[in-house]
Amino acid sequence: MLKTNVYDMTGKVVGEIELDAAIFGIEVNEAVMHAAVKNQLANKRQGTHSVKGRSQVSGGGKKPYRQKGTGRARQGSTRAAQWIKGGIIFGPSPRDYSYTLPKKVKRLALKSSLASKAQEEAVIVLDKLCFDEIKTKNMVNVLKNLGVADTALVVIADNDQNVVKSARNIKGIATAGVNTINVYDILKYNKFIITKDALAKVSEVYA
């Protein structure tokens, strides 16, 4: 049984909760996590890189000098790659880098990433996380009370703007909803902070 403490916003232990073994207790599959991270990074690429080939650069319509008798190498155009301002050989052109992974692979990768955090004892469950106003200091105090001194991903059940905006200016801290968590972010941040409500939704959606 996977059990962990439940904390309040002051850092005090207020209970204990059992993590869903179907998610946090599975064997970590590094291969599918690697595939999922590669897929996410590829899908983020804009693919707008572009250079001009010799047919696209201006000039070069006339042979620069006669074929023989000059003692120089033969040249047909000043827009060839070896010339200054010449075209680029095999340069990049706009393309779409995105591709899809099977749903079962993506689901297994997400569960594996959550299981890896559980094995590292990096999962922190909060009884609740709510603020009366948008104030960065509120989130800083909560993180300090929880002993989070490095990076952390904070997962909340709903889109509470008081929480999201209180955390967005803190270096190394990111917020996410249950439906927006992904393998890359889970692995990127050292701590995985999640509210009880969000944890229940994760178990409901991904178990």
Side-chain angles (χ1 to χ4, degrees):
M1 295 176 66
L2 291 169
K3 288 189 176 181
T4 187
N5 291 330
V6 178
Y7 299 87
D8 61 11
M9 293 194 298
T10 65
K12 181 182 177 182
V13 177
V14 293
E16 196 174 50
I17 193 169
E18 185 176 344
L19 300 176
D20 193 335
I23 299 175
F24 295 92
I26 69 169
E27 182 179 352
V28 175
N29 190 322
E30 293 185 0
V32 294
M33 288 196 298
H34 179 250
V37 170
K38 278 181 61 180
N39 173 249
Q40 188 174 341
L41 294 178
N43 292 349
K44 279 185 175 182
R45 295 186 67 172
Q46 290 185 327
T48 54
H49 44 30
S50 181
V51 296
K52 291 183 178 180
R54 63 181 294 171
S55 65
Q56 296 168 308
V57 293
S58 61
K62 181 183 177 183
K63 188 173 174 68
Y65 45 80
R66 62 196 178 100
Q67 181 83 341
K68 294 179 177 293
T70 62
R72 302 178 66 186
R74 68 192 86 177
Q75 300 291 336
S77 171
T78 57
R79 300 300 84 170
Q82 69 271 21
W83 286 76
I84 295 174
K85 297 183 181 179
I88 303 298
I89 300 174
F90 303 134
S93 57
R95 57 165 289 196
D96 182 11
Y97 284 92
S98 65
Y99 63 96
T100 58
L101 284 179
K103 288 183 180 179
K104 287 185 178 180
V105 172
K106 290 194 288 187
R107 181 178 287 266
L108 179 58
L110 186 68
K111 290 163 70 172
S112 291
S113 62
L114 292 172
S116 70
K117 287 300 177 186
Q119 290 181 8
E120 295 168 4
E121 297 183 351
V123 177
I124 300 174
V125 180
L126 273 175
D127 183 33
K128 63 178 181 178
L129 182 61
C130 57
F131 303 130
D132 295 329
E133 58 181 339
I134 299 171
K135 203 170 185 68
T136 304
K137 188 176 182 180
N138 291 339
M139 181 60 80
V140 170
N141 288 336
V142 171
L143 295 171
K144 185 178 179 181
N145 294 336
L146 295 173
V148 177
D150 45 14
T151 62
L153 177 66
V154 182
V155 181
I156 52 180
D158 49 12
N159 188 23
D160 187 340
Q161 289 299 301
N162 285 356
V163 174
V164 173
K165 292 183 178 181
S166 294
R168 66 182 177 182
N169 284 336
I170 306 175
K171 185 178 180 180
I173 304 299
T175 58
V178 174
N179 60 335
T180 61
I181 57 174
N182 57 78
V183 178
Y184 179 76
D185 284 342
I186 293 171
L187 297 177
K188 176 182 176 181
Y189 296 95
N190 294 329
K191 297 292 184 182
F192 184 78
I193 303 172
I194 186 169
T195 63
K196 282 180 66 176
D197 291 343
L199 185 61
K201 284 189 176 182
V202 167
S203 298
E204 182 182 335
V205 174
Y206 299 107

